[in-house]
Amino acid sequence: MITARRTGAALGAEIQGVDLSKDIDDATFRQILDLWHEHEVVFFRDQKLTPAQHVAFSRRFGELELHVRKDCCRPGYHELFVVSNIVEDGKPIGSQDAGLFWHSDLCYLKIPSRGSLFYALEVPHDDSGKPLGDTLFASATAAYDALPAATRQTIAGLKAVQSYKKGYYRDRNGGRRKPLTPEQEAKTPDVEHPIARTHPVTGKKCLFVNEGYTARIAGMPGPDGDALLNDLITHSTKPEFVYRHSWRAGDFLLWDNCLVQHLAIHDYKLPLRRHMERTTLTGTAPF
Ligand code: OGA
Ligand code: MN
């Protein structure tokens, strides 16, 4: 029997009674899908998955993205993006700075990702045994619903510019990174997406702006547009919309990239090791 336990925050639920390494029948899969859409983030504890099982379960949801940074993928698995601070033979095994700013995965693409499936292999802890490297999730539906009616009216029909470059050109100290090559820039042109985005399955309205990649409001250059965007971004991650996930090795967690934005807490460093792996679902054009 599969059951869901809400986290008590604005979003998130733990699903119990499922072993993801086993064959999941269609009815159970449907229940998982429905729970995910309802709770926006769902997670399963104590899972033991091989990389192939992680990919196979993810494929039940649809097509997967192959990450552009192949050097960050698990060798032999172009679908598995590694997020880790581990360095082996002088080479990082994955991305070391994922999630430094609030964002939603691939929001800067014309077709952003539908959702991500994240598996915790190694989790750092402090001396007292408290887990480090939590991830914060903010409900974009709760944020939208809490907007004043006048603001909802203002943003109806407006689009925002999502810019890979805005996110890229900041390191964790707020500094600038090595410039992208013209080829890399050409691959990630700025795109425009509705600010009040509709979830393709549930029809719920989501506030689709984030600190990481949203650069400006389309057609509103100047201080008015900047002030509006700033207000929306600040509003979108108010504590009352946030669930903070403390990881345990064996956690398998799904977030929806339309219903939710997320942020990684970088409060650990080597020799404390963190190793997570992510598959990324291909999405559909935002509306
Ligand atoms: C990601 C990401 C957050 C984290 O993999 O997309 O943002 O806590 N990760 O590692
Ligand atoms: Mn992310």
Side-chain angles (χ1 to χ4, degrees):
M1 232 260 295
I2 125 167
T3 56
R5 232 177 47 198
R6 308 185 77 106
T7 61
L11 73 163
E14 177 184 352
I15 300 181
Q16 293 168 322
V18 183
D19 178 347
L20 296 174
S21 71
K22 300 264 158 59
D23 276 343
I24 307 284
D25 61 51
D26 287 344
T28 305
F29 181 74
R30 185 74 234 174
Q31 271 182 293
I32 293 171
L33 199 56
D34 290 346
L35 287 168
W36 185 28
H37 287 139
E38 179 183 350
H39 297 290
E40 309 181 354
V41 164
V42 290
F43 57 91
F44 307 81
R45 299 273 196 198
D46 305 314
Q47 300 295 317
K48 276 204 182 64
L49 293 181
T50 63
Q53 287 169 332
H54 183 167
V55 172
F57 178 64
S58 305
R59 284 230 174 90
R60 295 285 296 269
F61 294 83
E63 203 184 317
L64 304 181
E65 297 282 337
L66 301 181
H67 206 278
V68 281
R69 291 187 62 187
K70 206 171 176 185
D71 55 308
C72 287
C73 294
R74 178 184 265 264
Y77 293 90
H78 200 169
E79 305 90 343
L80 282 175
F81 182 65
V82 178
V83 176
S84 181
N85 65 340
I86 299 171
V87 179
E88 266 167 16
D89 301 325
K91 220 181 130 279
I93 67 163
S95 166
Q96 295 177 309
D97 54 8
L100 281 179
F101 302 95
W102 280 103
H103 69 287
S104 140
D105 295 335
L106 312 187
C107 66
Y108 46 78
L109 295 185
K110 241 180 114 167
I111 308 289
S113 163
R114 168 177 167 204
S116 301
L117 294 84
F118 206 60
Y119 184 40
L121 290 115
E122 288 184 71
V123 176
H125 293 86
D126 71 10
D127 289 342
S128 72
K130 183 174 97 64
L132 299 169
D134 291 356
T135 308
L136 271 56
F137 298 94
S139 169
T141 57
Y144 179 84
D145 291 345
L147 286 171
T151 310
R152 290 208 295 264
Q153 240 162 44
T154 306
I155 62 173
L158 283 182
K159 291 187 169 191
V161 177
Q162 309 289 348
S163 168
Y164 178 72
K165 292 178 232 20
K166 176 184 177 190
Y168 178 83
Y169 283 128
R170 283 187 304 187
D171 64 18
R172 67 183 70 199
N173 308 311
R176 287 180 78 81
R177 291 207 278 188
K178 179 168 124 244
L180 292 167
T181 63
E183 292 76 35
Q184 285 171 318
E185 284 228 0
K187 275 197 192 142
T188 49
D190 289 355
V191 298
E192 292 180 6
H193 292 313
I195 294 177
R197 184 178 168 193
T198 306
H199 190 270
V201 176
T202 65
K204 283 195 211 158
K205 288 274 189 208
C206 307
L207 182 58
F208 197 61
V209 294
N210 63 70
E211 191 220 345
Y213 296 107
T214 314
R216 59 191 178 277
I217 295 181
M220 282 181 83
D224 286 357
D226 292 348
L228 175 59
L229 180 60
N230 230 338
D231 287 350
L232 293 172
I233 286 176
T234 307
H235 170 86
S236 68
T237 60
K238 281 187 181 156
E240 60 265 38
F241 312 142
V242 171
Y243 164 61
R244 180 174 183 134
H245 189 78
S246 282
W247 296 98
R248 281 176 14 195
D251 283 357
F252 191 89
L253 184 147
L254 285 62
W255 65 76
D256 183 296
N257 280 313
C258 178
L259 300 169
V260 171
Q261 52 173 305
H262 59 280
L263 173 74
I265 304 297
H266 287 256
D267 58 356
Y268 57 91
K269 50 179 192 281
L270 288 174
L272 302 180
R273 291 157 61 101
R274 189 175 189 264
H275 180 180
M276 323 294 257
E277 294 189 358
R278 183 187 105 195
T279 54
T280 316
L281 302 175
T282 300
T284 47
F287 58 91

